Amino acid sequence: MKSSIAVVADADTVTGFKLGGIKEGYVVESTQEAEEILTNLIKEKTAIIIITEKIGEELREVIEKFTKSSALPMIIEIPDKSGPSHRATDPMRELIKRVIGVEMVK
Amino acid sequence: MAQEMIEGINPTRMELLKLKDREKLAVKGYSLLKEKRNALIMEFFNILERVKGSRENVEEKLKEAFEDLTTAQILMGDLAVNKAAMSVKESIELDIDSRSIMGVVVPVLDSTSSSRTVVERGYSFVDTSVKLDEAAKKFEESLALIIELGEIEKTIVLLAGEIESTKRRVNALEHIIIPRLENTVKYIEMRLEEMERENFVRLKVIKKSMEME
């Protein structure tokens, strides 16, 4: 199976990951642009899409629609240059709490 | 709730047999689903061990990488860094497989990221700084971590969804469907016994009245 990785992020992040050896990097400025590119990438069956947390925050619903049920694509959110954003609730933690029923110390 | 049962059932022997079959099936399904749920939760705990701290690792590594990148940009200028980045060769080979945990298909990634030497990256040395090499190296490393994190998080999300739906089914069977079937079976049995007694009495009365004549 041919599989690929793509980065959809701001200019610096894309430059960084290009240095790290990813060919497909898309610099996006607006939310709309990001959504278009994401949809295209998913259509082309890109396996892993790396996005910044900022974009992730804005496109939460679109992303969830694609990732809820199927194994691929994997959309991974990473912090950008300004460091990890401090979300009020960690979505992973929420999920674990809901499933297990008790708070797990992570 | 305690006496809830299926509506519109005729108290006949035929229905009773059917219901008993259904109850047997429900109990069997319940125990199977319970086993599935337990297995899933066990698997879930295994994966939780792996997720511990891996996001923090990624964040840490990326922070270092961005610091080096910024330094490189300061030393060489944005344009030169971009130019170098354009000429970097693809570093990661990704093999995606899938594994099934109790029917949940989760991805298994096999990435072979050869940590390359400086020469293999593909940009020229003439106009690049050492910091750029370091930034590239750190981005490569963080990429491997990110892929691993992605695999784990995806697995967790998928498993969690399956656990939730299995849980719901187990609970529905345990608390609603099985008791309802049991109550209905009991009701029909009682009705049948009652009818038998009625018949018995009726026969006795008839017999007595026939003897009287």
Side-chain angles (χ1 to χ4, degrees), chain A residues 1-5 11-24 47-48 50 53 66-85 87 90 92 95-96 98-101 104-106, chain B residues 41 44-45 48 51-52 55 58-59 62 66 69-70 73 81-82 84-92 94-96 105 107 109 116 121 123 132 135-136 139-140 142-143 146-147 149-151 153-154 156-158 160 163-164 167:
Chain A
M1 183 173 162
K2 193 211 162 275
S3 38
S4 47
I5 312 175
D12 279 335
T13 313
V14 169
T15 311
F17 278 103
K18 273 194 174 161
L19 274 178
I22 291 179
K23 276 281 115 166
E24 287 190 74
I48 298 181
I50 299 173
E53 279 176 352
F66 287 119
T67 52
K68 254 281 144 68
S69 50
S70 59
L72 291 174
M74 239 178 238
I75 297 179
I76 309 167
E77 287 173 38
I78 55 151
D80 60 6
K81 205 169 47 175
S82 52
S85 68
R87 271 177 282 187
D90 184 358
M92 274 298 138
L95 190 71
I96 291 163
R98 210 171 63 219
V99 169
I100 305 296
M104 293 279 300
V105 186
K106 217 166 70 161
Chain B
I41 287 180
F44 196 72
F45 274 114
L48 278 187
V51 83
K52 236 180 241 170
R55 183 156 269 279
V58 168
E59 277 165 9
L62 270 177
F66 276 122
L69 181 70
T70 315
Q73 278 170 336
V81 171
N82 280 350
M86 296 280 207
S87 51
V88 173
K89 288 185 198 123
E90 205 153 353
S91 73
I92 247 174
L94 199 59
D95 228 359
I96 297 192
V105 181
L109 298 180
R116 302 171 295 175
R121 286 205 185 102
Y123 51 78
L132 189 74
F139 269 106
E140 273 166 28
S142 51
L143 198 58
I146 288 172
I147 290 171
L149 175 73
E151 180 191 335
E153 287 198 345
K154 189 86 199 181
I156 286 185
V157 170
L158 289 172
I163 287 177
E164 265 187 299
K167 237 185 189 171

Side-chain angles (χ1 to χ4, degrees), chain B residues 20-37:
Chain B
K20 275 190 173 161
D21 274 351
R22 269 176 72 188
E23 191 188 337
K24 228 181 270 167
L25 187 70
V27 169
K28 206 168 158 191
Y30 166 67
S31 66
L32 278 175
L33 275 175
K34 215 161 96 179
E35 265 171 48
K36 179 183 174 185
R37 184 193 63 187

Side-chain angles (χ1 to χ4, degrees), chain B residues 116-132:
Chain B
R116 302 171 295 175
T117 59
V118 191
V119 189
E120 283 167 322
R121 286 205 185 102
Y123 51 78
S124 82
F125 301 126
V126 183
D127 50 358
T128 54
S129 105
V130 189
K131 272 289 169 195
L132 189 74

Side-chain angles (χ1 to χ4, degrees), chain B residues 8-196:
Chain B
I9 286 278
N10 294 324
T12 60
R13 236 163 249 290
M14 194 64 196
E15 290 287 351
L16 184 66
L17 284 176
K18 258 195 228 162
L19 277 177
K20 275 190 173 161
D21 274 351
R22 269 176 72 188
E23 191 188 337
K24 228 181 270 167
L25 187 70
V27 169
K28 206 168 158 191
Y30 166 67
S31 66
L32 278 175
L33 275 175
K34 215 161 96 179
E35 265 171 48
K36 179 183 174 185
R37 184 193 63 187
N38 290 345
L40 278 174
I41 287 180
M42 240 154 69
E43 199 67 45
F44 196 72
F45 274 114
N46 283 343
I47 207 96
L48 278 187
E49 284 295 307
R50 281 176 65 198
V51 83
K52 236 180 241 170
S54 74
R55 183 156 269 279
E56 281 74 16
N57 278 346
V58 168
E59 277 165 9
E60 192 64 30
K61 201 87 208 168
L62 270 177
K63 211 178 117 206
E64 285 172 25
F66 276 122
E67 269 168 23
D68 279 345
L69 181 70
T70 315
T71 323
Q73 278 170 336
I74 294 169
L75 288 174
M76 297 161 50
D78 272 6
L79 268 180
V81 171
N82 280 350
K83 205 176 82 186
M86 296 280 207
S87 51
V88 173
K89 288 185 198 123
E90 205 153 353
S91 73
I92 247 174
E93 263 177 48
L94 199 59
D95 228 359
I96 297 192
D97 227 346
S98 54
R99 183 162 74 103
S100 165
I101 305 172
M102 307 296 292
V104 190
V105 181
V106 298
V108 177
L109 298 180
D110 192 16
S111 65
T112 41
S113 65
S114 43
S115 58
R116 302 171 295 175
T117 59
V118 191
V119 189
E120 283 167 322
R121 286 205 185 102
Y123 51 78
S124 82
F125 301 126
V126 183
D127 50 358
T128 54
S129 105
V130 189
K131 272 289 169 195
L132 189 74
D133 300 340
E134 267 174 36
K137 186 164 164 265
K138 287 203 172 122
F139 269 106
E140 273 166 28
E141 285 166 5
S142 51
L143 198 58
L145 287 177
I146 288 172
I147 290 171
E148 200 194 329
L149 175 73
E151 180 191 335
I152 296 172
E153 287 198 345
K154 189 86 199 181
T155 309
I156 286 185
V157 170
L158 289 172
L159 270 183
E162 188 68 17
I163 287 177
E164 265 187 299
S165 70
T166 311
K167 237 185 189 171
R168 206 170 301 140
R169 275 193 226 159
V170 169
N171 283 344
L173 277 175
E174 187 183 358
H175 296 297
I176 297 174
I177 297 179
I178 292 179
R180 204 178 271 177
L181 283 171
E182 272 172 359
N183 285 337
T184 318
V185 165
K186 217 183 275 166
Y187 163 75
I188 294 181
E189 272 171 353
M190 265 155 60
R191 277 297 291 267
L192 285 176
E193 275 168 25
E194 189 64 30
M195 269 151 75
E196 221 160 90

Side-chain angles (χ1 to χ4, degrees), chain A residues 35-77:
Chain A
E35 188 177 343
E36 253 168 54
I37 290 176
L38 259 185
T39 323
N40 268 338
L41 283 174
I42 289 164
K43 242 184 240 157
E44 285 166 22
K45 300 223 183 312
T46 309
I48 298 181
I49 303 170
I50 299 173
I51 60 172
T52 55
E53 279 176 352
K54 254 184 223 132
I55 298 175
E57 205 65 58
E58 279 157 15
L59 292 177
R60 174 78 47 224
E61 276 165 31
V62 184
I63 292 166
E64 237 153 60
K65 198 176 74 198
F66 287 119
T67 52
K68 254 281 144 68
S69 50
S70 59
L72 291 174
M74 239 178 238
I75 297 179
I76 309 167
E77 287 173 38

